[in-house]
Amino acid sequence: RCPAPTVGQINGAQDFNATELDRIDVTNAGNFDWAQDANATITFWMKSDMAPEGNRAMIGRDNAQGIIWYIGVDGGDTNPGNIRVAVANDKNNPGNIAVDSGTDSNVTDGVWHHIAVVLTQFEIEVYVDGAFDFNISRVATTDLNVSGADVHFGSLSNASAEVPYNGSLDDIALYNVALSASDINASYNSIVSPPTDPTDPTDPTDL
């Protein structure tokens, strides 16, 4: 089922209902066919107050062999409610995957959070609300070109892999470069602390 439109952090957002298995599928997603040594960044806003029961995928890509990559919310006992990221090192070997979760940034508190995930051949960096949260070491041994595999928003196509997301997503953006920490912080602050207009000049009175 398609998600429902809702008020977003930027403009309109999409609200995903996990019970209804809401999902958006992007076909022919060539922009997500990353080379082995690719640099890329995904940013978006998310809001959820779901109970973190089971790992939940907000954005990701998978095929019949397994998970290629996803950005989601941890539902385990150790880091519930924190951002969880997984990226395959070898697209042909589902067991060879770099995966971890944050520990200090619970994002299931019902307010909007800015998420940025930076991918390189050897590392994944995760930022929450403009600040560095955690990183994951990886050693990519293949590209992530997966012909015919859709990119999914709200869940993955393999329902047994990750639980569907319950919450809203807004202003999803993909960059073909690894954004710097200052770039990400500036992007976040441009929304939460936009520059104010200068004060209009007043007419002189002492002439």
Side-chain angles (χ1 to χ4, degrees):
R1 198 190 78 157
C2 290
T6 188
V7 177
Q9 174 72 348
I10 309 300
N11 288 304
Q14 297 295 316
D15 189 61
F16 296 80
N17 185 318
T19 303
E20 299 293 336
L21 302 179
D22 290 352
R23 191 173 82 202
I24 297 174
D25 297 331
V26 179
T27 60
N28 301 317
N31 287 337
F32 294 89
D33 284 340
W34 295 317
Q36 180 178 341
D37 60 350
N39 294 328
T41 305
I42 296 176
T43 66
F44 60 94
W45 289 87
M46 58 85 64
K47 182 175 75 170
S48 178
D49 58 3
M50 65 181 181
E53 299 174 355
N55 299 327
R56 298 174 183 262
M58 294 184 285
I59 305 172
R61 196 177 197 184
D62 63 347
N63 60 13
Q65 290 182 290
I67 293 170
I68 305 303
W69 61 268
Y70 80 86
I71 306 166
V73 179
D74 193 296
D77 296 330
T78 305
N79 304 313
N82 283 265
I83 293 296
R84 180 179 177 86
V85 176
V87 180
N89 291 314
D90 181 348
K91 67 181 180 182
N92 302 308
N93 180 4
N96 187 355
I97 191 166
V99 58
D100 204 353
S101 303
T103 58
D104 300 318
S105 300
N106 189 319
V107 295
T108 57
D109 54 2
V111 301
W112 284 104
H113 292 283
H114 183 262
I115 310 300
V117 177
V118 181
L119 172 72
T120 69
Q121 183 176 359
F122 300 109
E123 186 179 36
I124 304 158
E125 293 182 343
V126 180
Y127 296 77
V128 176
D129 293 337
F132 175 79
D133 190 30
F134 67 99
N135 70 315
I136 309 169
S137 297
R138 68 184 294 256
V139 180
T141 58
T142 68
D143 60 50
L144 295 180
N145 298 349
V146 191
S147 178
D150 297 343
V151 171
H152 307 289
F153 300 89
S155 71
L156 298 178
S157 61
N158 182 354
S160 64
E162 300 297 325
V163 179
Y165 172 62
N166 201 84
S168 301
L169 298 176
D170 190 17
D171 198 44
I172 301 166
L174 169 66
Y175 303 85
N176 62 357
V177 296
L179 294 184
S180 68
S182 59
D183 290 335
I184 292 167
N185 183 262
S187 176
Y188 168 72
N189 283 311
S190 70
I191 301 302
V192 299
S193 302
T196 57
D197 293 332
T199 303
D200 292 334
T202 57
D203 293 331
T205 58
D206 195 16
L207 295 178

